[in-house]
Amino acid sequence: MADALILDKPRSPRRPSARRSNFELYSWLFMRISGLALIILVLGHLFIMNILDGGVHRINWGFVAGRWASPFWQFWDLAMLWLAEIHGGNGLRTIIDDYARKDSTRFWLKILLYVSMALILAVGTMVIFTFDPEMPAS
């Protein structure tokens, strides 16, 4: 009777512990933390840009120049850009892994994703840090 209570080993082979990675765990954790940070950053951005001091009618070249003259707002917008890009890219990477059937398709879609992410992050960061408030608005 005691032998009947013993469970068989699972049929799926286990990966050796040397090859195990916690990347997906860290990816999952990053999505939760960055999502919370993005809620604060985006809602703060929307509140300041659209509700305070007259709403969207005041947003022009001078407003952006005055805002980006402060390192605080540069950091705020940079954090929002980087977190949104990496959060969205991580989500899209997961979708590619879930729905791309062939390894070659998965590889090329991820290459396109990573290249586009790098370009958007590079251009966005460059715009934030090289913005010249003295340049005349045409």
Side-chain angles (χ1 to χ4, degrees):
M1 184 74 172
D3 291 334
L5 296 177
I6 296 175
L7 296 174
D8 288 337
K9 291 183 179 179
R11 292 191 175 102
S12 60
R14 290 188 173 201
R15 289 176 25 184
S17 61
R19 288 183 38 197
R20 281 194 194 154
S21 169
N22 285 333
F23 177 75
E24 289 300 328
L25 171 66
Y26 296 138
S27 173
W28 180 87
L29 192 60
F30 170 78
M31 291 298 275
R32 275 55 187 176
I33 293 169
S34 66
L36 289 174
L38 279 168
I39 288 173
I40 294 166
L41 290 169
V42 170
L43 289 179
H45 175 82
L46 289 173
F47 181 74
I48 291 164
M49 299 296 268
N50 297 327
I51 296 174
L52 288 183
D53 297 332
V56 296
H57 303 293
R58 73 184 171 117
I59 299 174
N60 57 20
W61 179 270
F63 177 78
V64 174
R67 182 178 165 142
W68 280 354
S70 165
F72 174 79
W73 291 116
Q74 283 182 327
F75 176 76
W76 184 287
D77 288 346
L78 186 70
M80 196 166 46
L81 169 73
W82 276 76
L83 282 175
E85 184 69 32
I86 296 171
H87 182 94
N90 190 31
L92 193 52
R93 178 195 59 82
T94 304
I95 291 170
I96 290 169
D97 282 341
D98 287 347
Y99 291 103
R101 294 177 188 237
K102 295 195 309 188
D103 288 339
S104 61
T105 304
R106 189 175 304 115
F107 172 79
W108 287 110
L109 286 174
K110 283 185 180 180
I111 291 295
L112 285 172
L113 173 65
Y114 298 148
V115 168
S116 67
M117 286 175 62
L119 287 174
I120 291 170
L121 286 174
V123 170
T125 302
M126 185 181 72
V127 166
I128 290 173
F129 286 122
T130 63
F131 182 79
D132 183 12
E134 302 300 321
M135 190 167 92
S138 51

